[in-house]
Amino acid sequence: MRCHYCEEAAAFAAEKDGLKVGLCTDHFRDRMEELTDSAELSELEDQIDVDRAAECMQIAYDHGVNFFDNAEAYARGQAEEMMGDIIQQKGWSRSDLVVSTKIFWGGDGPNDVGLSRKHVIEGTKAALRRLKMDVVDLVYCHR
């Protein structure tokens, strides 16, 4: 699926009332700014704000988004913890969501980085603990 506004691959896709819409990361961010009528969402890159993240996820969910992506490298795993907490607090059915994470930049140890079998397995297990989930639907090689 392609972005509704440009030809980039859609990072976010939603379907509601038979209408399918895809947005690239930049256009999703633009739409979230419009929907939340708030300051730049780039502020989230410099801090972890649970309330803002919960608000953004709720708006996305209310507009048909069910795909949520994360990575072990985002805020050194804290973003996965926050997203897992929010999903639990919202009471969303796990079977209604598609959740992904990315593995590569896991930490400082010699086996905490890369795409070795060891790190892919251990990194995925660590992500599952942080997300408080039994499974993720997709694991990306985050290079």
Side-chain angles (χ1 to χ4, degrees), residues 40-107:
E40 292 287 325
L41 289 180
S42 61
E43 294 172 9
L44 291 175
E45 296 169 2
D46 299 326
Q47 65 184 15
I48 295 177
D49 182 334
V50 176
D51 293 334
R52 175 58 91 47
E55 176 187 10
C56 289
M57 288 179 69
Q58 185 66 57
I59 290 168
Y61 186 82
D62 290 346
H63 285 82
V65 173
N66 71 336
F67 176 79
F68 293 97
D69 176 59
N70 222 308
E72 65 181 352
Y74 298 165
R76 298 183 74 68
Q78 293 178 27
E80 288 175 322
E81 291 173 2
M82 181 173 42
M83 189 170 84
D85 289 342
I86 291 168
I87 289 170
Q88 281 187 341
Q89 290 167 4
K90 298 289 183 184
W92 296 336
S93 172
R94 177 62 184 90
S95 63
D96 292 340
L97 304 175
V98 177
V99 178
S100 69
T101 193
K102 300 177 200 80
I103 303 295
F104 189 89
W105 307 105

Side-chain angles (χ1 to χ4, degrees), residues 10-24:
F12 303 92
E15 180 177 355
K16 188 162 185 154
D17 300 327
L19 177 65
K20 293 180 182 178
V21 177
L23 297 174
C24 67

